[in-house]
Amino acid sequence: MKILLLEDELMLNNAITEYLGSIGHIVESFSDGQEVIDNVDESFDMLVMDINVPTKDGFEILDELNAKNVFIPTIYISALVDIEDITKAYDLGCREYLKKPFHLEELGIKINQILKKEQQSTSHIKFSKNYSYSKTDNSLYFNNEPQPLTKKQLDIIHILALNINMIVDFERFRVDIWDGENIDNPTIRAEISRLKKSLKEDFIKNIRGLGYKIDRYYSV
């Protein structure tokens, strides 16, 4: 997950950045609110923001993003404890509000909870720089243009998308794509190989001897 961190306390900023990196996230950190406005875009999967920061506070940032129809899941981390501030945070659309001081592991738990909800609810999944998949209409897109694939190829993409970041084994393909027919593994590999050759970017990974997977793409 690509996370934007806004925290003007240097030691805490460094500690959060190091911790989130250690559990597998990509973190871009800032200490100034205007810098966030200048750099934030929809490539970020989550915002973790302090509220009282220089130039532009965390409330103003989320308010500006809402006005631009840029909606990124947000966790506020703040020493503000008045109910008015907490209410304002949730009214602006934040997902979680962590009061300082907090354990880094608690932040990690909150992030994972939001990630799970996003994976369950999102209908559009990014596979690569240019490819994405819509679970709603079962279509693969390249630069937002639907791609002409056969039904079986789309079924393969669909089962990999439903199991994003996980290996789909040959038996799962046999059951879900070939309706349990006695199809051998080389036939499955050949079908997926034809699919991969039709793609302009290689995002389907062959996990030798096990099956195939697609990793969710995060812009760096």
Side-chain angles (χ1 to χ4, degrees):
M1 174 180 285
K2 185 179 178 184
I3 298 174
L4 184 151
L5 170 65
L6 173 61
E7 172 55 64
D8 65 330
E9 295 178 28
L10 181 60
M11 290 184 63
L12 181 56
N13 188 310
N14 290 339
I16 294 173
T17 299
E18 182 178 350
Y19 171 71
L20 294 181
S22 74
I23 59 175
H25 299 298
I26 300 167
V27 182
E28 288 191 23
S29 66
F30 300 89
S31 59
D32 179 275
Q34 185 59 50
E35 290 180 347
V36 170
I37 289 296
D38 293 340
N39 289 276
V40 67
D41 58 40
E42 290 177 314
S43 70
F44 289 98
D45 300 291
M46 187 171 296
L47 310 179
V48 177
M49 299 195 296
D50 192 0
I51 296 172
N52 284 336
V53 294
T55 309
K56 195 177 292 285
D57 69 37
F59 288 151
E60 292 174 306
I61 292 169
L62 200 54
D63 193 38
E64 284 195 29
L65 293 178
N66 290 341
K68 296 176 182 177
N69 291 320
V70 176
F71 302 108
I72 303 173
T74 299
I75 297 176
Y76 279 125
I77 52 174
S78 178
L80 300 177
V81 295
D82 289 345
I83 190 61
E84 291 81 5
D85 293 314
I86 297 172
T87 300
K88 182 175 182 179
Y90 282 105
D91 285 344
L92 285 169
C94 83
R95 301 292 183 86
E96 295 285 351
Y97 189 103
L98 284 181
K99 300 174 185 177
K100 295 180 179 180
F102 57 86
H103 291 287
L104 293 176
E105 290 81 2
E106 184 181 3
L107 176 60
I109 291 169
K110 297 298 185 183
I111 289 173
N112 287 335
Q113 287 176 333
I114 293 172
L115 176 59
K116 287 179 181 178
K117 290 178 181 178
E118 288 292 305
Q119 288 178 333
Q120 292 169 357
S121 64
T122 186
S123 62
H124 219 77
I125 303 173
K126 194 93 167 146
F127 287 160
S128 68
K129 181 178 180 181
N130 297 298
Y131 275 104
S132 61
Y133 177 75
S134 171
K135 292 190 289 185
T136 303
D137 57 16
N138 191 23
S139 294
L140 182 69
Y141 291 85
F142 182 81
N143 286 335
N144 298 318
E145 292 291 330
Q147 299 300 291
L149 297 176
T150 68
K151 181 181 183 303
K152 192 172 294 296
Q153 289 173 336
L154 283 173
D155 288 343
I156 291 170
I157 293 289
H158 184 72
I159 196 67
L160 289 167
L162 290 181
N163 295 275
I164 195 77
N165 300 328
M166 296 186 291
I167 298 171
V168 177
D169 61 24
F170 290 101
E171 185 59 28
R172 181 72 182 274
F173 284 118
R174 234 183 315 273
V175 171
D176 289 4
I177 309 300
W178 279 269
D179 296 324
E181 292 182 30
N182 189 25
I183 301 295
D184 59 15
N185 290 359
T187 299
I188 297 174
R189 282 197 293 267
E191 184 67 38
I192 296 177
S193 179
R194 282 191 289 272
L195 168 59
K196 285 165 64 71
K197 287 178 181 178
S198 72
L199 302 173
K200 300 178 181 69
E201 294 174 350
D202 186 16
F203 55 81
I204 300 176
K205 295 184 178 181
N206 178 10
I207 310 302
R208 188 176 180 86
L210 297 176
Y212 295 84
K213 70 180 292 197
I214 295 176
D215 289 326
R216 186 183 293 273
Y217 176 79
Y218 298 114
S219 301
V220 179

